[in-house]
Amino acid sequence: MKVTITQIDTACLLIDINGFKILTDPAFDEAGKKYLRADGKTYLHKTGSPAMSTADLGAIDLVLLSHHQHKDNLDDAGRAFIETVPGVISTKEAVEQLQLNNVHSLEEWESLEVEADNVEELTITATPCQHASTKEVSAKMGHVIGFIIEWKEQENGVLYISGDTVLFEGVRDVAERFLVNTAILNVGKAGIPASTGDVYYTFTADEAIEVAEMMHVDHLIPTHWEGWDHFQEKSQEAMNHFAKSHIAEKVIKLEPGKPVEIDI
């Protein structure tokens, strides 16, 4: 089936599956905003603006929110936007803290079949994430999930959305449990050296290459690598790594605002 994917902002993507529109990690604030981190001392700085506005999107059927606690995955405008959609799938903590009736939780490996008139047997499964390169720091970062999207007419494997994670055993479990056709991976090697030293919070380019290889994907779509000052590997640096790898021809670099159609 043809699936259209459009990069909007950070890890915010519009995924159109035969007319059923899914939005990931809504972020719609403009560049220049800064957000106080949980430590009460340091800030996250947004350097890029979304390629599309909420008005440009049209009706969204479902939001997949990997986690609610970090502004680069759910900023202020994104928080307002999720109140307008029919359904959001996220963590149990998001359900508790957002206190919105349209937010539903999934635990790791739990699945939910979503009603979609134009996509038969559309199913969302939550996958595990480790949101830091050490388990100790990850525990402080809060609960995060990724997603598997599958439907009846898939012939070449599922669509995997990593969420904010590094390479760890949970990602390897995804590779063992699912035949993945397309992997959307949150890269950028997010980190704040002045605060947490060498710890990083999302895939490095080299880790993304390893994930693509272990999953034998047809397509690797990197995201979450531009628009904030805490990304230590910007898109061009990551693309240089990809170009030298065995999976170079599988990488699809999305241009913000420009839809790309792929077969899944």
Side-chain angles (χ1 to χ4, degrees), residues 88-141:
V88 179
I89 297 176
S90 191
T91 64
K92 62 180 181 180
E93 291 83 358
V95 171
E96 294 167 357
Q97 296 181 30
L98 293 174
Q99 296 187 339
L100 296 174
N101 292 332
N102 62 340
V103 183
H104 311 277
S105 70
L106 285 180
E107 291 294 310
E108 286 79 355
W109 309 123
E110 283 187 340
S111 298
L112 176 68
E113 186 168 336
V114 177
E115 290 187 13
D117 293 338
N118 38 0
V119 184
E120 193 171 357
E121 297 180 14
L122 177 64
T123 302
I124 310 297
T125 301
T127 60
C129 294
Q130 180 179 306
H131 195 1
S133 50
T134 71
K135 291 185 177 181
E136 179 183 5
V137 175
S138 180
K140 297 176 181 178
M141 296 292 285

Side-chain angles (χ1 to χ4, degrees), residues 167 185 187 203-213 220 242 247:
L167 179 55
L185 303 183
V187 293
F203 289 125
T204 66
D206 288 339
E207 286 181 338
I209 291 166
E210 186 173 346
V211 171
E213 290 176 337
L220 164 61
F242 296 146
I247 55 92

Side-chain angles (χ1 to χ4, degrees), residues 14 19 21 32 70 89 91 128 137 142 172 201 205 212 234 237 241:
L14 176 61
K21 295 166 71 173
H70 298 142
I89 297 176
T91 64
V137 175
R172 295 186 174 90
Y201 305 113
K234 300 297 193 293
E237 182 180 356
H241 283 266

Side-chain angles (χ1 to χ4, degrees), residues 137-206:
V137 175
S138 180
K140 297 176 181 178
M141 296 292 285
H143 191 192
V144 183
I145 56 174
F147 303 96
I148 292 289
I149 307 177
E150 53 189 328
W151 57 89
K152 185 176 181 180
E153 295 182 14
Q154 281 175 337
E155 297 180 357
N156 304 311
V158 302
L159 174 59
Y160 169 52
I161 302 171
S162 71
D164 280 8
T165 188
V166 299
L167 179 55
F168 79 117
E169 59 269 19
V171 175
R172 295 186 174 90
D173 287 344
V174 174
E176 291 181 1
R177 292 175 182 234
F178 293 94
L179 172 64
V180 177
N181 171 273
T182 299
I184 298 174
L185 303 183
N186 288 14
V187 293
K189 194 185 178 183
I192 306 173
S195 176
T196 51
D198 293 336
V199 173
Y200 57 94
Y201 305 113
T202 54
F203 289 125
T204 66
D206 288 339

